[in-house]
PDB file of all heavy atoms in Angstrom:
ATOM      1  N   PRO A   1       3.790  -6.724 -28.242  1.00 84.00           N
ATOM      2  CA  PRO A   1       2.921  -7.399 -27.248  1.00 84.00           C
ATOM      3  C   PRO A   1       3.141  -8.880 -27.258  1.00 84.00           C
ATOM      4  O   PRO A   1       3.495  -9.482 -28.310  1.00 84.00           O
ATOM      5  CB  PRO A   1       1.485  -7.032 -27.766  1.00 84.00           C
ATOM      6  CG  PRO A   1       1.622  -6.691 -29.184  1.00 84.00           C
ATOM      7  CD  PRO A   1       3.041  -6.214 -29.403  1.00 84.00           C
ATOM      8  N   GLN A   2       3.019  -9.506 -26.102  1.00 84.00           N
ATOM      9  CA  GLN A   2       3.192 -10.940 -26.002  1.00 84.00           C
ATOM     10  C   GLN A   2       1.928 -11.617 -26.534  1.00 84.00           C
ATOM     11  O   GLN A   2       0.786 -11.201 -26.229  1.00 84.00           O
ATOM     12  CB  GLN A   2       3.384 -11.342 -24.545  1.00 84.00           C
ATOM     13  CG  GLN A   2       3.560 -12.805 -24.355  1.00 84.00           C
ATOM     14  CD  GLN A   2       3.896 -13.225 -22.943  1.00 84.00           C
ATOM     15  OE1 GLN A   2       3.808 -12.412 -22.034  1.00 84.00           O
ATOM     16  NE2 GLN A   2       4.262 -14.441 -22.714  1.00 84.00           N
ATOM     17  N   ASP A   3       2.110 -12.635 -27.312  1.00 88.00           N
ATOM     18  CA  ASP A   3       1.013 -13.414 -27.855  1.00 88.00           C
ATOM     19  C   ASP A   3       0.660 -14.452 -26.806  1.00 88.00           C
ATOM     20  O   ASP A   3       1.346 -15.477 -26.610  1.00 88.00           O
ATOM     21  CB  ASP A   3       1.426 -14.084 -29.167  1.00 88.00           C
ATOM     22  CG  ASP A   3       0.320 -14.925 -29.773  1.00 88.00           C
ATOM     23  OD1 ASP A   3      -0.745 -15.170 -29.105  1.00 88.00           O
ATOM     24  OD2 ASP A   3       0.472 -15.366 -30.935  1.00 88.00           O
ATOM     25  N   ARG A   4      -0.351 -14.223 -26.010  1.00 90.00           N
ATOM     26  CA  ARG A   4      -0.710 -15.099 -24.882  1.00 90.00           C
ATOM     27  C   ARG A   4      -1.084 -16.553 -25.357  1.00 90.00           C
ATOM     28  O   ARG A   4      -0.971 -17.447 -24.580  1.00 90.00           O
ATOM     29  CB  ARG A   4      -1.800 -14.518 -24.063  1.00 90.00           C
ATOM     30  CG  ARG A   4      -1.346 -13.255 -23.305  1.00 90.00           C
ATOM     31  CD  ARG A   4      -2.368 -12.669 -22.377  1.00 90.00           C
ATOM     32  NE  ARG A   4      -2.694 -13.464 -21.238  1.00 90.00           N
ATOM     33  CZ  ARG A   4      -2.043 -13.505 -20.077  1.00 90.00           C
ATOM     34  NH1 ARG A   4      -0.983 -12.732 -19.946  1.00 90.00           N
ATOM     35  NH2 ARG A   4      -2.401 -14.257 -19.065  1.00 90.00           N
ATOM     36  N   SER A   5      -1.463 -16.685 -26.615  1.00 93.00           N
ATOM     37  CA  SER A   5      -1.802 -18.006 -27.091  1.00 93.00           C
ATOM     38  C   SER A   5      -0.520 -18.869 -27.290  1.00 93.00           C
ATOM     39  O   SER A   5      -0.612 -20.089 -27.340  1.00 93.00           O
ATOM     40  CB  SER A   5      -2.547 -17.943 -28.431  1.00 93.00           C
ATOM     41  OG  SER A   5      -1.663 -17.496 -29.486  1.00 93.00           O
ATOM     42  N   LYS A   6       0.581 -18.231 -27.338  1.00 89.00           N
ATOM     43  CA  LYS A   6       1.893 -18.967 -27.382  1.00 89.00           C
ATOM     44  C   LYS A   6       2.662 -18.991 -26.093  1.00 89.00           C
ATOM     45  O   LYS A   6       3.731 -19.579 -26.020  1.00 89.00           O
ATOM     46  CB  LYS A   6       2.762 -18.305 -28.491  1.00 89.00           C
ATOM     47  CG  LYS A   6       2.196 -18.446 -29.883  1.00 89.00           C
ATOM     48  CD  LYS A   6       3.125 -17.779 -30.843  1.00 89.00           C
ATOM     49  CE  LYS A   6       2.496 -17.850 -32.292  1.00 89.00           C
ATOM     50  NZ  LYS A   6       3.370 -17.164 -33.247  1.00 89.00           N
ATOM     51  N   ALA A   7       2.130 -18.359 -25.083  1.00 87.00           N
ATOM     52  CA  ALA A   7       2.776 -18.307 -23.775  1.00 87.00           C
ATOM     53  C   ALA A   7       2.471 -19.550 -22.967  1.00 87.00           C
ATOM     54  O   ALA A   7       1.447 -20.238 -23.171  1.00 87.00           O
ATOM     55  CB  ALA A   7       2.337 -17.052 -23.017  1.00 87.00           C
ATOM     56  N   SER A   8       3.381 -19.901 -22.051  1.00 87.00           N
ATOM     57  CA  SER A   8       3.060 -20.970 -21.088  1.00 87.00           C
ATOM     58  C   SER A   8       3.325 -20.365 -19.705  1.00 87.00           C
ATOM     59  O   SER A   8       4.041 -19.326 -19.591  1.00 87.00           O
ATOM     60  CB  SER A   8       3.971 -22.172 -21.360  1.00 87.00           C
ATOM     61  OG  SER A   8       5.345 -21.799 -21.256  1.00 87.00           O
ATOM     62  N   PHE A   9       2.751 -20.964 -18.711  1.00 84.00           N
ATOM     63  CA  PHE A   9       2.804 -20.412 -17.365  1.00 84.00           C
ATOM     64  C   PHE A   9       3.231 -21.527 -16.394  1.00 84.00           C
ATOM     65  O   PHE A   9       2.843 -22.695 -16.584  1.00 84.00           O
ATOM     66  CB  PHE A   9       1.448 -19.839 -16.965  1.00 84.00           C
ATOM     67  CG  PHE A   9       0.960 -18.747 -17.889  1.00 84.00           C
ATOM     68  CD1 PHE A   9       0.211 -19.061 -19.003  1.00 84.00           C
ATOM     69  CD2 PHE A   9       1.358 -17.462 -17.642  1.00 84.00           C
ATOM     70  CE1 PHE A   9      -0.187 -18.041 -19.825  1.00 84.00           C
ATOM     71  CE2 PHE A   9       0.959 -16.413 -18.484  1.00 84.00           C
ATOM     72  CZ  PHE A   9       0.197 -16.760 -19.604  1.00 84.00           C
ATOM     73  N   PHE A  10       4.010 -21.155 -15.433  1.00 81.00           N
ATOM     74  CA  PHE A  10       4.438 -22.085 -14.400  1.00 81.00           C
ATOM     75  C   PHE A  10       4.514 -21.343 -13.108  1.00 81.00           C
ATOM     76  O   PHE A  10       4.972 -20.187 -13.041  1.00 81.00           O
ATOM     77  CB  PHE A  10       5.862 -22.606 -14.760  1.00 81.00           C
ATOM     78  CG  PHE A  10       6.234 -23.852 -14.018  1.00 81.00           C
ATOM     79  CD1 PHE A  10       5.938 -25.125 -14.491  1.00 81.00           C
ATOM     80  CD2 PHE A  10       6.898 -23.810 -12.843  1.00 81.00           C
ATOM     81  CE1 PHE A  10       6.233 -26.289 -13.832  1.00 81.00           C
ATOM     82  CE2 PHE A  10       7.281 -24.902 -12.097  1.00 81.00           C
ATOM     83  CZ  PHE A  10       6.919 -26.215 -12.614  1.00 81.00           C
ATOM     84  N   HIS A  11       4.075 -21.942 -12.043  1.00 85.00           N
ATOM     85  CA  HIS A  11       4.094 -21.345 -10.693  1.00 85.00           C
ATOM     86  C   HIS A  11       5.503 -21.036 -10.288  1.00 85.00           C
ATOM     87  O   HIS A  11       6.545 -21.513 -10.856  1.00 85.00           O
ATOM     88  CB  HIS A  11       3.390 -22.186  -9.644  1.00 85.00           C
ATOM     89  CG  HIS A  11       3.971 -23.516  -9.483  1.00 85.00           C
ATOM     90  ND1 HIS A  11       5.154 -23.753  -8.701  1.00 85.00           N
ATOM     91  CD2 HIS A  11       3.691 -24.747  -9.982  1.00 85.00           C
ATOM     92  CE1 HIS A  11       5.422 -25.005  -8.652  1.00 85.00           C
ATOM     93  NE2 HIS A  11       4.607 -25.640  -9.489  1.00 85.00           N
ATOM     94  N   LYS A  12       5.693 -20.235  -9.259  1.00 85.00           N
ATOM     95  CA  LYS A  12       7.015 -19.968  -8.692  1.00 85.00           C
ATOM     96  C   LYS A  12       7.664 -21.267  -8.267  1.00 85.00           C
ATOM     97  O   LYS A  12       7.000 -22.081  -7.594  1.00 85.00           O
ATOM     98  CB  LYS A  12       6.893 -19.046  -7.485  1.00 85.00           C
ATOM     99  CG  LYS A  12       8.227 -18.666  -6.926  1.00 85.00           C
ATOM    100  CD  LYS A  12       8.052 -17.726  -5.742  1.00 85.00           C
ATOM    101  CE  LYS A  12       9.439 -17.494  -5.099  1.00 85.00           C
ATOM    102  NZ  LYS A  12       9.302 -16.598  -3.924  1.00 85.00           N
ATOM    103  N   ARG A  13       8.851 -21.513  -8.679  1.00 82.00           N
ATOM    104  CA  ARG A  13       9.526 -22.734  -8.411  1.00 82.00           C
ATOM    105  C   ARG A  13       9.732 -22.929  -6.901  1.00 82.00           C
ATOM    106  O   ARG A  13       9.989 -22.013  -6.202  1.00 82.00           O
ATOM    107  CB  ARG A  13      10.893 -22.823  -9.116  1.00 82.00           C
ATOM    108  CG  ARG A  13      10.698 -22.883 -10.625  1.00 82.00           C
ATOM    109  CD  ARG A  13      11.876 -23.441 -11.409  1.00 82.00           C
ATOM    110  NE  ARG A  13      12.244 -24.753 -10.942  1.00 82.00           N
ATOM    111  CZ  ARG A  13      11.687 -25.894 -11.381  1.00 82.00           C
ATOM    112  NH1 ARG A  13      10.686 -25.848 -12.246  1.00 82.00           N
ATOM    113  NH2 ARG A  13      12.139 -27.046 -10.949  1.00 82.00           N
ATOM    114  N   SER A  14       9.606 -24.154  -6.456  1.00 85.00           N
ATOM    115  CA  SER A  14       9.932 -24.533  -5.096  1.00 85.00           C
ATOM    116  C   SER A  14      10.926 -25.658  -5.083  1.00 85.00           C
ATOM    117  O   SER A  14      11.193 -26.276  -6.146  1.00 85.00           O
ATOM    118  CB  SER A  14       8.617 -24.970  -4.370  1.00 85.00           C
ATOM    119  OG  SER A  14       8.182 -26.165  -4.901  1.00 85.00           O
ATOM    120  N   ILE A  15      11.468 -26.021  -3.969  1.00 86.00           N
ATOM    121  CA  ILE A  15      12.490 -27.097  -3.932  1.00 86.00           C
ATOM    122  C   ILE A  15      11.917 -28.424  -4.406  1.00 86.00           C
ATOM    123  O   ILE A  15      12.533 -29.225  -5.016  1.00 86.00           O
ATOM    124  CB  ILE A  15      13.087 -27.231  -2.489  1.00 86.00           C
ATOM    125  CG1 ILE A  15      14.372 -28.071  -2.525  1.00 86.00           C
ATOM    126  CG2 ILE A  15      12.052 -27.727  -1.506  1.00 86.00           C
ATOM    127  CD1 ILE A  15      15.520 -27.499  -3.281  1.00 86.00           C
ATOM    128  N   GLU A  16      10.588 -28.597  -4.200  1.00 89.00           N
ATOM    129  CA  GLU A  16       9.938 -29.866  -4.621  1.00 89.00           C
ATOM    130  C   GLU A  16       9.991 -30.044  -6.127  1.00 89.00           C
ATOM    131  O   GLU A  16       9.908 -31.141  -6.658  1.00 89.00           O
ATOM    132  CB  GLU A  16       8.493 -29.928  -4.085  1.00 89.00           C
ATOM    133  CG  GLU A  16       8.412 -30.162  -2.576  1.00 89.00           C
ATOM    134  CD  GLU A  16       8.566 -28.877  -1.789  1.00 89.00           C
ATOM    135  OE1 GLU A  16       8.558 -27.778  -2.342  1.00 89.00           O
ATOM    136  OE2 GLU A  16       8.704 -29.002  -0.528  1.00 89.00           O
ATOM    137  N   ASP A  17      10.093 -28.964  -6.815  1.00 88.00           N
ATOM    138  CA  ASP A  17      10.123 -29.026  -8.299  1.00 88.00           C
ATOM    139  C   ASP A  17      11.414 -29.569  -8.819  1.00 88.00           C
ATOM    140  O   ASP A  17      11.505 -29.939  -9.942  1.00 88.00           O
ATOM    141  CB  ASP A  17       9.884 -27.632  -8.911  1.00 88.00           C
ATOM    142  CG  ASP A  17       8.491 -27.102  -8.616  1.00 88.00           C
ATOM    143  OD1 ASP A  17       7.545 -27.845  -8.705  1.00 88.00           O
ATOM    144  OD2 ASP A  17       8.398 -25.886  -8.260  1.00 88.00           O
ATOM    145  N   SER A  18      12.470 -29.615  -7.979  1.00 93.00           N
ATOM    146  CA  SER A  18      13.750 -30.205  -8.335  1.00 93.00           C
ATOM    147  C   SER A  18      13.915 -31.620  -7.994  1.00 93.00           C
ATOM    148  O   SER A  18      14.939 -32.256  -8.334  1.00 93.00           O
ATOM    149  CB  SER A  18      14.871 -29.341  -7.726  1.00 93.00           C
ATOM    150  OG  SER A  18      14.813 -28.032  -8.172  1.00 93.00           O
ATOM    151  N   GLU A  19      12.958 -32.208  -7.246  1.00 96.00           N
ATOM    152  CA  GLU A  19      13.044 -33.583  -6.840  1.00 96.00           C
ATOM    153  C   GLU A  19      12.760 -34.511  -8.009  1.00 96.00           C
ATOM    154  O   GLU A  19      11.829 -34.285  -8.778  1.00 96.00           O
ATOM    155  CB  GLU A  19      12.030 -33.906  -5.753  1.00 96.00           C
ATOM    156  CG  GLU A  19      12.341 -33.421  -4.419  1.00 96.00           C
ATOM    157  CD  GLU A  19      11.302 -33.791  -3.369  1.00 96.00           C
ATOM    158  OE1 GLU A  19      10.154 -33.371  -3.544  1.00 96.00           O
ATOM    159  OE2 GLU A  19      11.601 -34.587  -2.506  1.00 96.00           O
ATOM    160  N   ILE A  20      13.563 -35.506  -8.181  1.00 98.00           N
ATOM    161  CA  ILE A  20      13.410 -36.463  -9.267  1.00 98.00           C
ATOM    162  C   ILE A  20      12.397 -37.487  -8.904  1.00 98.00           C
ATOM    163  O   ILE A  20      12.368 -38.061  -7.846  1.00 98.00           O
ATOM    164  CB  ILE A  20      14.769 -37.174  -9.579  1.00 98.00           C
ATOM    165  CG1 ILE A  20      15.748 -36.127 -10.111  1.00 98.00           C
ATOM    166  CG2 ILE A  20      14.559 -38.283 -10.620  1.00 98.00           C
ATOM    167  CD1 ILE A  20      17.165 -36.670 -10.307  1.00 98.00           C
ATOM    168  N   ASP A  21      11.378 -37.671  -9.824  1.00 97.00           N
ATOM    169  CA  ASP A  21      10.414 -38.696  -9.675  1.00 97.00           C
ATOM    170  C   ASP A  21      10.772 -39.827 -10.622  1.00 97.00           C
ATOM    171  O   ASP A  21      10.685 -39.704 -11.856  1.00 97.00           O
ATOM    172  CB  ASP A  21       8.986 -38.132  -9.995  1.00 97.00           C
ATOM    173  CG  ASP A  21       7.896 -39.161  -9.840  1.00 97.00           C
ATOM    174  OD1 ASP A  21       8.162 -40.382  -9.804  1.00 97.00           O
ATOM    175  OD2 ASP A  21       6.758 -38.712  -9.705  1.00 97.00           O
ATOM    176  N   TRP A  22      11.194 -40.986 -10.088  1.00 97.00           N
ATOM    177  CA  TRP A  22      11.684 -42.058 -10.896  1.00 97.00           C
ATOM    178  C   TRP A  22      10.622 -42.781 -11.710  1.00 97.00           C
ATOM    179  O   TRP A  22      10.936 -43.611 -12.586  1.00 97.00           O
ATOM    180  CB  TRP A  22      12.441 -43.048 -10.052  1.00 97.00           C
ATOM    181  CG  TRP A  22      13.691 -42.395  -9.498  1.00 97.00           C
ATOM    182  CD1 TRP A  22      13.894 -41.860  -8.244  1.00 97.00           C
ATOM    183  CD2 TRP A  22      14.822 -41.999 -10.297  1.00 97.00           C
ATOM    184  NE1 TRP A  22      15.132 -41.253  -8.167  1.00 97.00           N
ATOM    185  CE2 TRP A  22      15.708 -41.288  -9.411  1.00 97.00           C
ATOM    186  CE3 TRP A  22      15.218 -42.195 -11.611  1.00 97.00           C
ATOM    187  CZ2 TRP A  22      16.951 -40.805  -9.817  1.00 97.00           C
ATOM    188  CZ3 TRP A  22      16.453 -41.691 -12.035  1.00 97.00           C
ATOM    189  CH2 TRP A  22      17.310 -40.975 -11.151  1.00 97.00           C
ATOM    190  N   ASN A  23       9.320 -42.412 -11.517  1.00 96.00           N
ATOM    191  CA  ASN A  23       8.274 -42.935 -12.370  1.00 96.00           C
ATOM    192  C   ASN A  23       8.198 -42.138 -13.703  1.00 96.00           C
ATOM    193  O   ASN A  23       7.488 -42.566 -14.609  1.00 96.00           O
ATOM    194  CB  ASN A  23       6.940 -42.895 -11.629  1.00 96.00           C
ATOM    195  CG  ASN A  23       6.888 -43.869 -10.522  1.00 96.00           C
ATOM    196  OD1 ASN A  23       7.087 -45.068 -10.764  1.00 96.00           O
ATOM    197  ND2 ASN A  23       6.673 -43.434  -9.318  1.00 96.00           N
ATOM    198  N   TRP A  24       8.890 -41.031 -13.757  1.00 97.00           N
ATOM    199  CA  TRP A  24       8.889 -40.259 -15.054  1.00 97.00           C
ATOM    200  C   TRP A  24       9.746 -41.043 -16.016  1.00 97.00           C
ATOM    201  O   TRP A  24      10.665 -41.754 -15.646  1.00 97.00           O
ATOM    202  CB  TRP A  24       9.551 -38.920 -14.799  1.00 97.00           C
ATOM    203  CG  TRP A  24       8.716 -37.874 -14.086  1.00 97.00           C
ATOM    204  CD1 TRP A  24       7.539 -38.070 -13.456  1.00 97.00           C
ATOM    205  CD2 TRP A  24       9.070 -36.528 -13.962  1.00 97.00           C
ATOM    206  NE1 TRP A  24       7.146 -36.845 -12.897  1.00 97.00           N
ATOM    207  CE2 TRP A  24       8.076 -35.922 -13.231  1.00 97.00           C
ATOM    208  CE3 TRP A  24      10.184 -35.758 -14.405  1.00 97.00           C
ATOM    209  CZ2 TRP A  24       8.140 -34.560 -12.898  1.00 97.00           C
ATOM    210  CZ3 TRP A  24      10.227 -34.431 -14.085  1.00 97.00           C
ATOM    211  CH2 TRP A  24       9.164 -33.851 -13.366  1.00 97.00           C
ATOM    212  N   PRO A  25       9.517 -40.851 -17.337  1.00 97.00           N
ATOM    213  CA  PRO A  25      10.429 -41.377 -18.325  1.00 97.00           C
ATOM    214  C   PRO A  25      11.819 -40.813 -18.183  1.00 97.00           C
ATOM    215  O   PRO A  25      11.958 -39.671 -17.824  1.00 97.00           O
ATOM    216  CB  PRO A  25       9.744 -40.981 -19.652  1.00 97.00           C
ATOM    217  CG  PRO A  25       8.385 -40.597 -19.345  1.00 97.00           C
ATOM    218  CD  PRO A  25       8.354 -40.142 -17.906  1.00 97.00           C
ATOM    219  N   ALA A  26      12.802 -41.593 -18.536  1.00 98.00           N
ATOM    220  CA  ALA A  26      14.209 -41.164 -18.470  1.00 98.00           C
ATOM    221  C   ALA A  26      14.413 -39.851 -19.268  1.00 98.00           C
ATOM    222  O   ALA A  26      15.184 -38.963 -18.844  1.00 98.00           O
ATOM    223  CB  ALA A  26      15.134 -42.267 -18.944  1.00 98.00           C
ATOM    224  N   GLU A  27      13.787 -39.706 -20.402  1.00 97.00           N
ATOM    225  CA  GLU A  27      13.924 -38.502 -21.166  1.00 97.00           C
ATOM    226  C   GLU A  27      13.478 -37.223 -20.470  1.00 97.00           C
ATOM    227  O   GLU A  27      14.174 -36.245 -20.510  1.00 97.00           O
ATOM    228  CB  GLU A  27      13.073 -38.629 -22.512  1.00 97.00           C
ATOM    229  CG  GLU A  27      13.550 -39.697 -23.451  1.00 97.00           C
ATOM    230  CD  GLU A  27      12.919 -41.089 -23.169  1.00 97.00           C
ATOM    231  OE1 GLU A  27      12.213 -41.230 -22.095  1.00 97.00           O
ATOM    232  OE2 GLU A  27      13.255 -42.038 -23.887  1.00 97.00           O
ATOM    233  N   ASP A  28      12.418 -37.343 -19.680  1.00 97.00           N
ATOM    234  CA  ASP A  28      11.927 -36.193 -18.909  1.00 97.00           C
ATOM    235  C   ASP A  28      12.887 -35.890 -17.739  1.00 97.00           C
ATOM    236  O   ASP A  28      13.122 -34.744 -17.407  1.00 97.00           O
ATOM    237  CB  ASP A  28      10.521 -36.473 -18.407  1.00 97.00           C
ATOM    238  CG  ASP A  28       9.486 -36.459 -19.441  1.00 97.00           C
ATOM    239  OD1 ASP A  28       9.778 -36.074 -20.641  1.00 97.00           O
ATOM    240  OD2 ASP A  28       8.299 -36.832 -19.187  1.00 97.00           O
ATOM    241  N   ILE A  29      13.412 -36.987 -17.127  1.00 98.00           N
ATOM    242  CA  ILE A  29      14.312 -36.749 -15.997  1.00 98.00           C
ATOM    243  C   ILE A  29      15.626 -36.077 -16.509  1.00 98.00           C
ATOM    244  O   ILE A  29      16.139 -35.161 -15.893  1.00 98.00           O
ATOM    245  CB  ILE A  29      14.614 -38.012 -15.243  1.00 98.00           C
ATOM    246  CG1 ILE A  29      13.303 -38.637 -14.643  1.00 98.00           C
ATOM    247  CG2 ILE A  29      15.615 -37.798 -14.134  1.00 98.00           C
ATOM    248  CD1 ILE A  29      13.468 -40.019 -14.085  1.00 98.00           C
TER     249      ILE A  29
END
């Protein structure tokens, strides 16, 4: 069984999720 306390969730990806936001730290980009 999956341990839901260790799981993470993310919505279905969209094209906007691939856009770079230059206000993010370089490490995140």
